[in-house]
Amino acid sequence: MLHTDVGIVHPGAMGAQVAAQVMAAGSRVWWLPRERSDATRRRAAELGLRSAGSMAELTAQCTLLLSVCPPAAALDVVRQAAAAGFDGVYVDANAVSPRRMAQIAEALQGTGARLVDGGITGPPPREVGTTRLYLSGDDTVVAGVRALFDGTLLTPVVLAGPVGRASALKLAFAAYNKISYALAAEACALAEGHGVLDDLLDIAAHLLPGTPLARPEQWASAGPRAWRWEPEMREIAEAWRGSGLPGIFADAAADTFERWHAHKDDTTVTSDQLLADLIGRGPDEAG
């Protein structure tokens, strides 16, 4: 089925670029401006997204909904769509656990909507080869979603199997990738607290070049995104425990990211400022 009218909730930094790919492929994209931030409204205006006055209007207008939102909001968003009577294709592309995906599927029961599990890896798609959208679920429905992104900067990859597989893959990758940022920051905080940060960075540059530990500016990029990464770590912890594994690594990373919530979307924040947050000193005291 060709989806000429697609809804997206909500076009944040990632969602906006996903919407741009849908539009580049020839579909019209709708969104909900109500209660959204000025930054989100600006992104939507720049892209030329069409405004819907309510979830009911959005669901009536669109045959496919893309949910690209903070993990903690994913279940609430699908419940809103279900309550509005959406009966099209619902793609949840959030960093949620397989258990959360099961709850999302339950929320759509009886609506006639068909669920596709999605997992995005990489940065917001602005160039070829950087970003993938993994998809799992019913073969026919997944094929339609894949076709929506064929030839765009967002590479669709189909995983054979049911809803939950794409989410599991996304969280497994995020567990290693994002926890490594938190671990590097904590190691630097320990070294800074004892006056040996420069020595640690020298060791890392020699033995672990290219890693977040050797490049503080790399892990510092987590600061503006920590408000989103913290609930994602909670989802990872839940997924690990659901598989009979300890979730303590993800719990610890979530606690680290929680300390950086004040830097939401602040791309000017430095590693020194983030270290000060971890060590518990004021920025002026950071050495």
Side-chain angles (χ1 to χ4, degrees), residues 81-189:
F86 182 65
D87 60 359
V89 174
Y90 190 93
V91 182
D92 188 287
N94 301 304
V96 297
S97 68
R99 176 176 171 272
R100 191 79 61 216
M101 279 302 304
Q103 293 175 328
I104 289 168
E106 183 179 354
L108 291 174
Q109 283 184 357
T111 65
R114 289 142 293 162
L115 175 64
V116 171
D117 181 12
I120 301 173
T121 60
R126 293 188 176 90
E127 56 185 89
V128 175
T130 62
T131 314
R132 295 180 178 183
L133 171 61
Y134 288 91
L135 301 165
S136 68
D138 179 88
D139 291 345
T140 302
V141 183
V142 166
V145 178
R146 184 203 63 209
L148 187 67
F149 293 98
D150 279 342
T152 72
L153 300 180
L154 180 59
T155 304
V157 180
V158 174
L159 297 174
V163 163
R165 294 200 75 206
S167 288
L169 178 61
K170 160 66 178 178
L171 291 196
F173 176 74
Y176 178 83
N177 185 43
K178 294 175 181 176
I179 290 176
S180 69
Y181 282 56
L183 182 59
E186 292 282 357
C188 286

Side-chain angles (χ1 to χ4, degrees), residues 171-249:
L171 291 196
F173 176 74
Y176 178 83
N177 185 43
K178 294 175 181 176
I179 290 176
S180 69
Y181 282 56
L183 182 59
E186 292 282 357
C188 286
L190 173 63
E192 169 68 5
H194 291 273
V196 292
L197 178 57
D198 289 343
D199 302 280
L200 175 64
L201 297 179
D202 179 66
I203 295 171
H206 177 58
L207 296 177
L208 301 171
T211 66
L213 185 61
R215 302 174 58 194
E217 72 279 2
Q218 185 174 335
W219 62 254
S221 68
R225 297 176 285 181
W227 67 278
R228 288 188 291 109
W229 287 13
E230 180 261 325
E232 187 172 337
M233 293 300 108
R234 307 291 183 196
E235 291 288 327
I236 290 170
E238 178 182 289
W240 270 339
R241 293 189 180 102
S243 298
L245 299 165
I248 53 175
F249 291 130

Side-chain angles (χ1 to χ4, degrees), residues 241-268:
R241 293 189 180 102
S243 298
L245 299 165
I248 53 175
F249 291 130
D251 287 332
D255 291 344
T256 295
F257 293 139
E258 189 173 21
R259 295 196 184 193
W260 295 341
H261 277 201
H263 303 294
K264 177 181 178 180
D265 297 333
D266 178 10
T267 57
T268 66

